Structure formats: C-alpha cells, structure tokens
Amino acid sequence: MTLQVPLDRVGIVMMSAVGDAVHVLPVLTALKRYHPSMRVTWVLQPGPASLVRGHPAIDEIIPFHYGTGWRAYADVRRALATTPLDLVLALQVSLKSGLVTAFTNAPVKLGFDRARARDANWLFTTHRIPAGPRQHVQDQYFEFLAHLGVPHAPVAWGLGPWAHERAAQQEFFAGFDRPIAAIVCGTSDPDRDWFPDRWAAVCDALHADFGLHPVLVGGPSAREQATAAAIIAAARVSAPVNALGHGGLRGLVGILEGAALVLSLDTAPMHIAVAVGTPVIALMSQADPKRTGPYGRGMELVVNAFAEPNDPPDEVLWMRRRGRMVRITVTDVLERVQRWRGGPR
C-alpha cells in the first residue's frame, strides 16, 4: 500500500557523506519528474552541499555545520522552524540525523523500518517503509519512492557538468594530447587505500599500453597529497598529473565526466563517475560491491577483494572486512582495463 501524502514541499535529511548525497539525487530527480512544482529543501553539511548546490531538483539547502557542535543543531532548528514541509524523507540513519528530523514541522516524516534505523533513528519518524531485503544503497533509497507510489525509472542524477561549467572543463582537458584515465588514489580510511608502487605500475601501463594519460584526482588532504607524490615518484614510463582538489567537487565532476576511464577506490568519486556516465574500475575490499559498489554497472569491472569463496552468491552482505587491499594486484587492475578496452566504448 502506498502512502498518500502531499508532495508540494518535501524535506530531505541526509547530511554528511558525499557518496550518499550522490545516491539521493536520483530520488530527487524522480520526485521532480513526478511532481514538477514540488519544492525541495535539503539539510546538508557544507562539503556535500558544494557538490549539489545549483542542481535543478534542489530549491533550498539548509546548511548543517557539524563542526560547531550544539550550535549546528540550534541553527538548523531555527531555520526549519520557518520552513513549512508536507513530507520529510529521513534517509540518514543516525542519532544526529534523527534529531534534525525531529526539528522539522512536517506532519509526515518517513524513515527506514525499525531494523535498519539504527541509533534509535526510528523514534524520530512518524511513518516507516516496510522491511525489505538487503540490497544496494541506491535501491534502498528507491524504496522510499515505491512507498510513495513514485516511479524511479529512468534513473537520472543530473549532476552535470552544467552549462556554465563547460568552459572550465574544456580548459582543463586542453592540456592533454591523449584521453585521460582519472585515478582516485585516496580515501578517508587508510585501510581502503592501495599502494603507491602498484598505482605507479598501473599508470605506466595505462600510458604505454592503453594510450591514456593518468591523472590523479580526489581530495587535497595531506595524506592524499603524500600518496600522489609517492605515485609520481615511482612512475617510470608515465608522467601522472596531480589534479587533487582541482576545482573542488564541481571541478572533479568535470574531470570524471570528461575522462575516458576512471579507476577508483571505494569512495565518493566512484559514485560521481557512475552518475556522470564514465566507465569505472572499482577497487573494493571492505564492503560488498553489491551493496556499495558502482550502481547498475554489474561486476565486470570491479576488482573484488571483499568476496570469500563461501559467500552466498545472491546475498548482499553488510559486514566490513578489513586488511584486504593487499590482495589486489596490478595484474587484477590491468585485466579490468583490458576488459574495458575490449568491450563497448
């Protein structure tokens, strides 16, 4: 049974992770396609907000400055007090997001079923989607649309690059005389990072054997910059370009969309690459690719260090497995590059 609720004013509570913000976008594009006059208000931290601000499906972003402590909650509560809403989608399951959901004045606050709404998040919602099977995070978000009777197909992110960003994108790519392979070489968790010498060997092969110029992309943190420096120092044939932090998250959208191929660790740019339609080779070890891997792309280009021989083949596993990036070899990655080159272009 679908939930009958007005869709004129919809609020979104998903405040933190950039990758999750990417997963929210097909929900918003589907809602706007179904009800074009809908007004969408999204409570969001500044980092992911810089990625989606200006998106045609988003009318208002209320910033949540988590680093300011309790002041962040007071500021959001004050902003939400004057923001009338018909419906709130509580897509983030945590205590902090539950508190923000409680601040909204919507008569319907739709969240996950009790089993999935950890940290007592279910206490802050008025309605909950039915319990469902474990599946990809993107499909879990689509469960909200199904509960509202809103079709999610065709899946569309609308992430850009947008028209006013094309000039900067073209300027960046004008510096290359061959297609680029964008390499996402760092994450927020060292256990999900790969080894600089192996990345360097992949860069050399991309340049010498596949006609691609390797470009290192991602965040500009000191640890990521150190990884990039180590990759560049170890490369023997190629000359990888360090584009970490170039143009912020919106600049990253332009690079990933213009690349011929993306090679990515298990981190947000992998999902951005999917959103802009660029083939992505994902190096995954901690999480089940069927849950958090490249959505809708199948497994043919995933390097899966997570799987064990006895894992149920059709079950999506939710546990974390650590210390597995060492299993991924240069040969594994280059075999996926060969699959990409031999497949449809």
Side-chain angles (χ1 to χ4, degrees):
M1 178 179 295
T2 60
L3 177 64
Q4 301 299 316
V5 59
L7 296 175
D8 297 318
R9 300 167 299 185
V10 173
I12 303 294
V13 178
M14 166 52 74
M15 302 185 297
S16 52
V18 172
D20 284 329
V22 175
H23 293 321
V24 171
L25 293 178
V27 175
L28 296 185
T29 58
L31 285 168
K32 284 277 184 146
R33 189 167 57 229
Y34 182 80
H35 190 65
S37 63
M38 173 188 301
R39 178 174 176 81
V40 171
T41 299
W42 190 348
V43 182
L44 194 56
Q45 289 180 199
S50 70
L51 173 67
V52 302
R53 184 174 285 107
H55 191 286
I58 302 170
D59 299 288
E60 179 184 19
I61 292 176
I62 295 178
F64 180 75
H65 297 280
Y66 184 65
T68 62
W70 285 107
R71 178 181 170 185
Y73 294 92
D75 290 344
V76 165
R77 185 173 189 173
R78 187 163 44 250
L80 288 171
T82 58
T83 304
L85 298 169
D86 301 305
L87 167 69
V88 167
L89 301 183
L91 296 170
Q92 184 173 358
V93 286
S94 67
L95 180 59
K96 71 174 183 180
S97 59
L99 292 173
V100 171
T101 300
F103 296 156
T104 64
N105 58 12
V108 177
K109 303 175 184 182
L110 181 61
F112 281 101
D113 57 280
R114 186 167 177 173
R116 289 183 285 181
R118 63 178 184 270
D119 291 344
N121 185 269
W122 61 274
L123 291 172
F124 303 97
T125 56
T126 63
H127 297 69
R128 297 163 198 98
I129 62 174
R134 293 176 176 176
Q135 55 186 336
H136 196 282
V137 171
Q138 185 68 74
D139 288 318
Q140 288 191 134
Y141 288 1
F142 287 152
E143 291 179 50
F144 284 77
L145 294 179
H147 195 61
L148 295 168
V150 176
H152 69 261
V155 178
W157 286 266
L159 191 54
W162 300 316
H164 69 277
E165 297 172 321
R166 287 296 183 185
Q169 182 193 38
Q170 292 167 4
E171 181 180 358
F172 177 84
F173 280 93
F176 299 93
D177 59 3
R178 58 171 67 190
I180 77 163
I183 296 175
V184 183
C185 60
T187 73
S188 60
D189 181 354
D191 188 65
R192 286 185 279 134
D193 288 351
W194 205 35
F195 307 97
D197 60 324
R198 298 186 191 184
W199 273 130
V202 168
C203 287
D204 287 344
L206 290 171
H207 188 277
D209 301 329
F210 296 93
L212 300 170
H213 200 124
V215 176
L216 309 179
V217 299
S221 71
R223 189 165 61 81
E224 289 169 281
Q225 290 287 4
T227 298
I231 294 170
I232 292 169
R236 294 291 177 262
V237 177
S238 60
V241 170
N242 182 347
L244 295 178
H246 178 87
L249 285 173
R250 293 305 310 169
L252 180 61
V253 169
I255 295 174
L256 297 181
E257 194 262 354
L261 177 67
V262 175
L263 298 88
S264 180
L265 301 170
D266 182 9
T267 187
M270 174 183 70
H271 302 298
I272 295 174
V274 171
V276 298
T278 303
V280 56
I281 294 171
L283 283 61
M284 303 198 64
S285 64
Q286 271 194 25
D288 189 347
K290 295 192 295 295
R291 180 175 178 243
T292 62
Y295 181 72
R297 295 297 180 90
M299 298 294 288
E300 65 275 3
L301 295 185
V302 173
V303 184
N304 186 355
F306 172 87
E308 291 288 353
N310 295 328
D311 287 345
D314 299 322
E315 184 176 341
V316 178
L317 302 177
W318 282 18
M319 81 278 283
R320 294 279 177 175
R321 292 170 173 166
R322 301 187 70 85
R324 291 168 172 256
M325 288 301 288
V326 68
R327 297 181 172 193
I328 298 178
T329 67
V330 171
T331 300
D332 291 332
V333 176
L334 294 180
E335 191 273 337
R336 301 314 190 276
V337 179
Q338 183 60 53
R339 287 188 197 180
W340 162 76
R341 186 172 72 171
R345 294 289 295 276

